[in-house]
């Protein structure tokens, strides 16, 4: 033993202690009574789980058509149902431990069994419940090993050892245990934060009585609040005094001032857009640079436009503040368009406006308010007389609705029904001298 490496000597020492503990348990009446209580606790938890699981599952399963917050919360809780059996066994074992300690003044065996049930709960959580890739990785390589160490009763020595490993970053001193605790707690907190943010965003988007800009602003505010609280809780769990982050905050401020000007500008521009509501989700806009489309999403950095052919254009929020923006659909307002056409010089143009306005006015999408169809004479062209009919619609002629082509079809049919000729180019050719003769 003396010639072996230190780590092997410690391992052999732990093995010897384990052997002594096992022999003591096998020859002790108190140990056998604790084994019996463990079996009873396990059987009681198993029977109760079989009786209670269908009832709990039925209560937590909402109808498929329900999508509100309470229904989503019930579905979220339902996925933790496999933890019922090990947690019940843990609780029953804890009760049995209290009874044994009051009688025999010892409870090492039943305490070990209780820790094993907790290990089983963590294993089920990591293997069957967690779907998020980061959380699954965290559970596999952090939570499960820690649960195994806790099960064999070495958690306190391990915590003491990890707390002794410290390093300093500026005026912040942090231990390895704090980092591990922060990684585990941070993963859980930000997973819950992301889930809470998704639920709150879904709830706010369903509030149709709120203006779109107000909804987007509320979504951004709730996101900042949720993750801000998660960050503060994480700092508290890791044991970091927030006052020590003053230097780090100053460094971040300098970085924003020099290297992240555009990001900061776009972030502030996004907040201004949401507060003013001049352009919001659902509006059809056109920028000075030629970008045009329907706003489908507004993020903290950019606004997403979708063109009528399905392409997405990412426009920095700053462009909406510093350049001219044409909003065709602010608050769902009506828009005016015109459809040009020409008729022959043989046409009685005094009758034409009434014919065209009547035909266009029959289209179901053409509005009579603020003004009905208006046919106007625009000029005298080389081949015909130029007209245009102006009309109002509720929407955008963006390629999806195609209002103008339908109006042109109506004009064509109206002209044909009234035997009005649509001109085509005519050219008169004059020859000076003898015209050319055709040769055979």
């Amino acid at each position: 033993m003396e010639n072996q490496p230190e780590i092997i000597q410690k391992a052999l020492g732990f093995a010897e202690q384990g052997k002594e503990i096992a022999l003591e348990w096998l020859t002790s009446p108190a140990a056998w009574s604790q084994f019996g209580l463990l079996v009873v606790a396990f059987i009681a938890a198993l029977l109760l789980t079989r009786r209670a699981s269908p009832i709990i599952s039925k209560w937590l399963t909402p109808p498929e058509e329900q999508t509100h917050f309470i229904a989503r919360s019930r579905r979220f809780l339902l996925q933790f149902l496999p933890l019922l059996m090990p947690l019940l066994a843990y609780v029953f074992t804890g009760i049995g431990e209290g009874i044994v300690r009051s009688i025999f003044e010892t409870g090492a065996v039943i305490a070990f069994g209780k820790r094993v049930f907790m290990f089983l709960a963590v294993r089920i959580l990591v293997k069957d419940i967690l779907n998020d890739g980061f959380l699954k990785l965290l559970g596999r390589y952090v939570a499960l090993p820690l649960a195994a160490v806790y099960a064999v009763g070495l958690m306190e020595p391990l915590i003491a050892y990890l707390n002794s490993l410290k390093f300093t970053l500026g005026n912040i001193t942090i231990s390895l245990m704090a980092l591990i605790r922060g990684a585990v707690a941070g993963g859980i907190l930000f997973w819950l934060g992301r889930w809470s943010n998704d639920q709150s965003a879904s709830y706010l988007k369903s509030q149709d009585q709120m203006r779109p800009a107000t909804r987007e602003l509320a979504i951004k505010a709730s996101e900042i609040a949720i993750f801000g609280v998660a960050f503060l809780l994480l700092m508290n769990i890791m044991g970091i005094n927030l006052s020590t982050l003053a230097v780090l905050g100053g460094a971040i401020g300098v970085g924003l001032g020099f290297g992240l000007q555009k990001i900061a500008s776009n972030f502030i521009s996004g907040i201004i857009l949401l507060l003013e509501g001049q352009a919001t989700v659902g509006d059809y806009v056109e920028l000075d640079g030629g970008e045009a489309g329907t706003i489908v999403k507004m993020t903290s950095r950019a606004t997403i436009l979708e063109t009528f052919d399905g392409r997405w254009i990412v426009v920095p929020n700053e462009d909406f503040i510093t350049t001219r923006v044409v909003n065709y659909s602010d608050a769902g307002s009506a828009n005016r368009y015109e459809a040009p056409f020409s008729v022959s010089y043989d046409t009685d143009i005094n009758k034409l406006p009434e014919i065209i306005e009547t035909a266009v006015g029959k289209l179901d999408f053409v509005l009579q308010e603020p003004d009905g169809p208006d046919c106007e004479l625009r000029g005298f062209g080389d081949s015909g007389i130029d007209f245009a009919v102006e009309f109002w619609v509720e929407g955008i002629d963006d390629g999806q609705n195609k209002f103008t082509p339908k109006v042109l079809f109506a004009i064509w049919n109206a002209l044909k029904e009234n035997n009005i000729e649509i001109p085509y180019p005519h050219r008169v050719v004059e020859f000076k001298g003898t015209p050319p003769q055709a040769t055979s």
Side-chain angles (χ1 to χ4, degrees):
M1 287 286 294
E2 296 179 355
N3 297 327
Q4 298 295 330
E6 182 180 357
I7 187 170
I8 295 180
Q9 294 181 20
K10 288 184 177 180
L12 292 174
F14 284 128
E16 187 66 27
Q17 292 179 11
K19 179 181 178 182
E20 293 177 358
I21 293 173
L23 289 174
E24 181 182 351
W25 286 0
L26 291 173
T27 58
S28 171
W32 282 104
S33 64
Q34 293 176 57
F35 277 122
L37 284 175
L38 276 175
V39 174
V40 171
F42 174 77
I43 295 174
L46 187 62
L47 294 176
L48 185 58
T49 300
R50 289 180 178 177
R51 296 290 299 273
S53 290
I55 300 174
I56 298 175
S57 178
K58 182 179 180 181
W59 182 79
L60 289 178
T61 304
E64 293 184 1
E65 65 274 9
Q66 290 186 3
T67 58
H68 50 75
F69 176 76
I70 296 178
R72 292 194 299 270
S73 300
R74 289 166 65 184
R75 293 189 182 99
F76 175 74
L77 293 174
L78 182 62
Q79 64 182 335
F80 294 98
L81 188 59
L83 294 176
L84 182 60
M85 196 281 290
L87 292 180
L88 282 175
Y90 181 85
V91 172
F92 293 157
T93 307
I95 297 172
E97 182 184 5
I99 296 173
V100 169
R101 290 190 182 276
S102 65
I103 298 174
F104 299 104
E105 297 183 354
T106 182
V109 176
I110 199 168
F112 172 74
K114 184 176 70 172
R115 295 194 297 267
V116 170
F117 287 134
M118 180 56 67
F119 172 79
L120 293 176
V122 174
R123 185 177 180 276
I124 293 173
L125 176 67
V126 173
K127 183 180 178 182
D128 301 330
I129 298 177
L130 295 181
N131 295 318
D132 184 84
F134 172 73
L135 284 181
K136 207 169 187 68
L137 186 68
L138 196 65
R140 185 178 300 164
Y141 294 105
V142 178
L144 269 179
L146 288 177
V149 172
Y150 171 74
V152 297
L154 297 177
M155 182 62 76
E156 292 184 4
L158 179 63
I159 291 176
Y161 175 72
L162 294 176
N163 279 326
S164 66
L165 299 177
K166 298 182 179 180
F167 61 92
T168 302
L169 179 63
N171 60 342
I172 301 176
T173 300
I174 190 168
S175 65
L176 183 58
M177 184 63 203
L179 286 178
I180 296 175
R181 188 167 57 235
V184 176
I188 296 173
L189 283 174
F190 283 95
W191 177 66
L192 289 174
R194 188 175 63 180
W195 180 82
S196 300
N197 182 63
D198 292 342
Q199 302 307 310
S200 61
S202 177
Y203 173 75
L204 290 171
K205 286 179 180 178
S206 65
Q207 304 303 307
D208 296 332
Q209 68 274 17
M210 298 173 63
R211 294 182 67 250
T214 306
R215 286 202 301 267
E216 291 296 323
L217 184 60
I219 290 171
K220 295 300 178 187
S222 65
E223 181 179 0
I224 293 173
I226 288 171
F227 286 103
V229 170
F231 175 77
L232 293 177
L233 288 174
L234 179 59
M235 292 297 101
N236 187 45
I237 291 172
M238 294 180 65
I240 298 176
N241 189 350
L242 294 178
S243 62
T244 61
L245 298 178
V247 176
L248 181 61
I252 293 175
V254 173
L256 286 174
F258 288 98
L260 304 177
Q261 294 182 26
K262 284 293 183 181
I263 295 178
S265 175
N266 287 319
F267 179 76
I268 295 173
S269 298
I271 294 176
I272 293 173
L273 283 174
L274 293 174
L275 288 173
E276 291 185 348
Q278 297 301 318
T280 186
V281 174
D283 287 354
Y284 186 88
V285 297
E286 182 178 353
L287 278 71
D288 264 354
E291 301 90 349
T294 303
I295 299 177
V296 295
K297 188 177 182 181
M298 300 181 73
T299 67
S300 58
R301 186 190 67 84
T303 298
I304 312 298
L305 305 183
E306 183 178 15
T307 63
F308 68 89
D309 52 1
R311 293 182 175 88
W312 278 24
I313 304 174
V314 181
V315 182
N317 289 329
E318 185 182 10
D319 291 355
F320 282 84
I321 302 298
T322 59
T323 62
R324 186 177 66 92
V325 179
V326 180
N327 192 337
Y328 289 92
S329 56
D330 185 25
S333 59
N335 294 280
R336 190 187 70 174
Y337 296 95
E338 66 175 41
F341 65 98
S342 299
V343 296
S344 169
Y345 275 100
D346 296 331
T347 305
D348 184 359
I349 61 174
N350 296 300
K351 298 179 180 178
L352 189 63
E354 181 180 358
I355 294 173
I356 298 301
E357 290 172 4
T358 301
V360 174
K362 292 179 180 179
L363 298 174
D364 56 358
F365 57 83
V366 175
L367 303 177
Q368 300 300 320
E369 296 291 340
D371 193 11
D374 182 21
C375 184
E376 298 178 349
L377 174 63
R378 292 297 173 87
F380 301 97
D382 294 338
S383 303
I385 306 174
D386 298 328
F387 282 85
V389 59
E390 297 176 346
F391 59 95
W392 289 81
V393 294
E394 189 72 46
I396 305 299
D397 194 359
D398 59 353
Q400 292 178 334
N401 299 310
K402 299 181 179 179
F403 296 129
T404 303
K406 294 179 182 178
V407 171
L408 290 174
F409 268 107
I411 293 173
W412 170 274
N413 294 329
L415 294 179
K416 289 297 182 181
E417 290 173 1
N418 290 273
N419 298 317
I420 298 175
E421 182 183 352
I422 298 176
Y424 52 88
H426 291 77
R427 296 290 182 268
V428 177
V429 181
E430 296 182 358
F431 293 97
K432 293 183 178 181
T434 304
Q437 301 293 325
T439 57
S440 59

